[in-house]
Amino acid sequence: MILTCIIIEDEPLAQELLQDYIYRRNDLTLLGKFNNVNDFIKFKEEKIDLMFMDIKIRGNVKKDIEGLFSNDCSIVLVTAYTIDQLSDYNLSQISNVLYKPVSYEKFNRCIDEVLYEIINK
């Protein structure tokens, strides 16, 4: 199974790191990278299986980010914040969380868990 994915991340180094990790795996195809939610909204009609997203993105408000959670794709939250610090967000649709800095080993474990969840839905 090959998952199509996107990255929504406003930190260029974090965005490049995630892209590199995605390219290392044969079961992921990167469709696009976005540094804000508004750019992604133009792309929202595409079939996306997996979204890597930083929840604290400069220039976006909470309702813009929570609006992405209604998409039927799996969401991996990539953040430097703890879940307790994000308690004002509705995170019920989050498939997994990767805490920055993200290692390749943690990334792989996360993807394996997401694939398992998708296959066993």
Side-chain angles (χ1 to χ4, degrees), residues 6-23:
I6 63 164
I7 300 169
I8 301 177
E9 169 65 66
D10 63 346
E11 294 178 32
L13 291 176
Q15 196 180 77
E16 293 302 315
L17 182 70
L18 288 170
Q19 175 181 308
D20 179 53
Y21 291 171
I22 290 167
Y23 286 163

Side-chain angles (χ1 to χ4, degrees), residues 44-59:
K44 203 169 180 176
E45 301 305 313
E46 296 288 327
K47 170 68 173 108
I48 299 166
D49 299 313
L50 179 59
M51 181 186 312
F52 295 95
M53 186 180 76
D54 185 357
I55 201 161
K56 297 282 187 171
I57 301 173
R58 286 183 291 274

